[in-house]
Amino acid sequence: MTPVPLSGIGEIDEPYWFSEADRPATCRAIMAHATQVAGVDITYPILLCAEGRVMDGMHRVMKALGDGHDTIPARQLITTPPPDYLNMAPSDLPY
């Protein structure tokens, strides 16, 4: 596990969770997402693919950013496995 600078996580400045088609429609929906961020434990490392992009842990990244941290614990894969699913709506995933 290695501390990764938050400044190096490009997804912070990208539309990571929402596209134009599925952006939250209400303030209540945004608050529900913010509640998820508030409830995470940033001592658990995030997971980065071989290229350094966030595969798991974006809520932890946002919590660390909001709390004023400069780094976050991370594990980075040496090789990125292929995705289990491609071109599927989140609502169609089996989990």
Side-chain angles (χ1 to χ4, degrees):
M1 183 167 46
T2 305
V4 170
L6 292 174
S7 61
I9 299 177
E11 291 87 345
I12 289 174
D13 294 310
E14 297 173 3
Y16 186 81
W17 287 306
F18 307 111
S19 68
E20 277 298 310
D22 69 352
R23 64 182 178 194
T26 66
C27 293
R28 186 181 305 276
I30 293 169
M31 193 61 223
H33 204 68
T35 300
Q36 288 179 312
V37 170
V40 301
D41 182 348
I42 63 171
T43 63
Y44 290 99
I46 63 170
L47 181 62
L48 304 174
C49 72
E51 294 76 31
R53 297 200 41 95
V54 177
M55 292 181 74
D56 181 61
M58 198 59 185
H59 288 93
R60 284 169 272 164
V61 170
M62 291 295 89
K63 171 103 179 214
L65 184 68
D67 287 352
H69 294 271
D70 293 323
T71 63
I72 190 165
R75 293 188 188 271
Q76 185 167 358
L77 299 177
I78 294 169
T79 58
T80 304
D84 291 333
Y85 303 97
L86 289 172
N87 302 318
M88 291 183 72
S91 59
D92 292 333
L93 293 169
Y95 53 86

